[in-house]
Amino acid sequence: MSPLVSVIMNCHNGERFLNEAIESIYNQTYNNWEIIFWDNASTDSSAKIAHSYDKRIQYYFNDKKTSLGEARNFAMSKAIGKYVAFLDCDDRFLPEKMMIQVELMETEGFLFSYGSTIIINEHGNMVKKRRVKNKSGYIVNRLLKHYEINMQSVMIDREFLRESEFEFNKQMQYCPDYNLFMRIASQFKVGVLSDFIVEYRKVSNSLSSKTLDLVSLEIKESLDAILSQNKKLQSTFPKEVDVAYRKLQFYDAVSFINQNQFAKARATIFSIILKDYRYFIIYILLFLPLSSRFLLRVLNR
């Protein structure tokens, strides 16, 4: 029998695209799934929309809004599937997402996997495709240099999470997913699908755009935890670790750009402009009369 997949949907006032997100699960070619719908103190019509579907949606309401990481942990505690997947209210699964991913996990025995992503806009139209570059295996070194895991494309063995006590960092607002997935990847092989399996929607005023000032702090905390957990990483992949920590200054510069503090952004990026030509280009752009909105779009932020 096909294993049950628990799809975790965390929602806070996500009514705008919620029907599209839920329908993308109901339209899967894989049929053995449940939805764990964690309503994180929504005040819009999200509850009404969730309740309009059948009993395959397990609805839970939390009357006090919690951090994203904590909400995901609460939701996962309700899941009973062999595997857990994740879908935010703005995004969509492509029809064969679960079928392809379960087959990979079952056949190859991976505890964790992810795949390629199509970026869509607020109207649901494709903006670009992001095909993953990595191949399945022990890839933490490549992820340190270029993190390419889209949250919506992830599938994890639930029993592994429970037994290993891996969970989302409940204090983090920006990257509890990066923190968890990189800690897993630092110890285990990862399954990678080149197939496009999800659509990720770029929405203005999203949570990620509002928390740019937290990126550097939370990623540094994550990197410190990973190196503490796996002490061989620093000596095994010194260049990759250096690249990962160097990016913290880039994230700080992005935060300053978001605050229209271009002088601080230039000063922050200056110390690493010789490390990567892209940092040099950013430094030059910061002298031009460009808006912060334009610069952030150029930087995919």
Side-chain angles (χ1 to χ4, degrees):
M1 183 178 176
S2 300
L4 179 67
V5 177
S6 297
V7 182
I8 306 299
M9 292 193 74
N10 285 106
C11 178
H12 174 69
N13 293 337
E15 65 180 2
R16 184 178 179 190
F17 302 110
L18 185 53
N19 276 122
E20 289 185 48
I22 294 175
E23 289 294 336
S24 77
I25 301 173
Y26 276 81
N27 290 334
Q28 289 293 295
T29 57
Y30 189 86
N31 294 317
N32 194 20
W33 50 261
E34 65 171 358
I35 297 174
I36 306 299
F37 193 95
W38 190 266
D39 191 337
N40 199 8
S42 294
T43 56
D44 63 0
S45 63
S46 295
K48 182 178 179 180
I49 293 171
H51 284 303
S52 70
Y53 290 85
D54 60 29
K55 293 182 179 180
R56 287 207 277 180
I57 295 186
Q58 306 296 316
Y59 177 87
Y60 299 92
F61 181 77
N62 193 43
D63 59 5
K64 182 179 180 181
K65 189 173 184 294
T66 63
S67 70
L68 182 57
E70 188 169 19
R72 284 181 174 152
N73 288 335
F74 283 141
M76 286 200 298
S77 71
K78 305 297 184 181
I80 62 171
K82 180 176 181 180
Y83 300 113
V84 290
F86 305 89
L87 183 63
D88 288 340
C89 298
D90 295 340
D91 308 317
R92 304 188 296 217
F93 284 169
L94 292 178
E96 296 190 341
K97 194 264 190 193
M98 287 192 219
M99 180 73 75
I100 296 170
Q101 206 157 17
V102 169
E103 182 178 356
L104 173 71
M105 303 278 281
E106 289 284 289
T107 303
E108 303 296 332
F110 291 115
L111 301 170
F112 175 94
S113 68
Y114 69 94
S116 298
T117 305
I118 296 173
I119 311 299
I120 60 175
N121 61 20
E122 297 186 41
H123 304 291
N125 300 320
M126 185 183 74
V127 176
K128 67 174 68 173
K129 290 185 174 182
R130 287 184 181 168
R131 189 180 294 277
V132 294
K133 297 180 179 180
N134 292 326
K135 304 295 182 182
S136 297
Y138 187 70
I139 57 173
V140 65
N141 55 320
R142 294 193 284 275
L143 291 172
L144 283 167
K145 290 183 70 175
H146 175 67
Y147 183 76
E148 63 174 8
I149 302 175
N150 178 277
M151 176 74 186
Q152 320 307 319
S153 76
V154 163
M155 185 173 284
I156 313 179
D157 185 297
R158 185 182 64 86
E159 191 68 13
F160 156 72
L161 286 176
R162 188 183 67 81
E163 292 181 351
S164 63
E165 298 184 352
F166 276 111
E167 65 177 10
F168 292 102
N169 186 313
K170 64 183 181 181
Q171 304 300 328
M172 290 186 170
Q173 297 291 330
Y174 179 82
C175 63
D177 50 340
Y178 175 91
N179 179 278
L180 174 60
F181 301 159
M182 286 298 286
R183 284 189 290 125
I184 295 173
S186 72
Q187 295 188 48
F188 301 95
K189 291 182 178 180
V190 176
V192 184
L193 288 160
S194 63
D195 309 70
F196 291 98
I197 56 177
V198 296
E199 292 177 322
Y200 171 75
R201 196 185 304 265
K202 280 280 191 178
V203 181
S204 59
N205 297 318
S206 65
L207 174 64
S208 59
S209 66
K210 296 176 183 177
T211 54
L212 289 175
D213 57 323
L214 301 176
V215 179
S216 179
L217 290 173
E218 292 191 2
I219 290 185
K220 182 180 185 303
E221 180 181 342
S222 300
L223 292 172
D224 291 347
I226 291 164
L227 292 178
S228 175
Q229 176 180 284
N230 188 339
K231 299 185 183 300
K232 293 183 179 180
L233 276 183
Q234 180 73 63
S235 58
T236 306
F237 304 116
K239 292 182 179 179
E240 289 84 351
V241 170
D242 180 63
V243 168
Y245 274 101
R246 193 187 306 149
K247 282 183 180 178
L248 299 177
Q249 290 164 273
F250 163 72
Y251 298 134
D252 283 333
V254 168
S255 177
F256 286 131
I257 292 170
N258 189 50
Q259 300 168 40
N260 290 308
Q261 298 184 40
F262 297 121
K264 287 186 176 181
R266 286 194 297 269
T268 301
I269 206 80
F270 180 76
S271 62
I272 57 173
I273 59 173
L274 298 181
K275 300 292 186 178
D276 190 313
Y277 75 92
R278 288 168 294 189
Y279 296 147
F280 180 77
I281 292 173
I282 295 168
Y283 182 72
I284 297 301
L285 288 175
L286 286 168
F287 283 96
L288 302 178
L290 302 172
S291 69
S292 60
R293 184 176 180 180
F294 176 82
L295 286 169
L296 291 173
R297 188 160 60 247
V298 169
L299 298 173
N300 277 324
R301 300 290 156 178

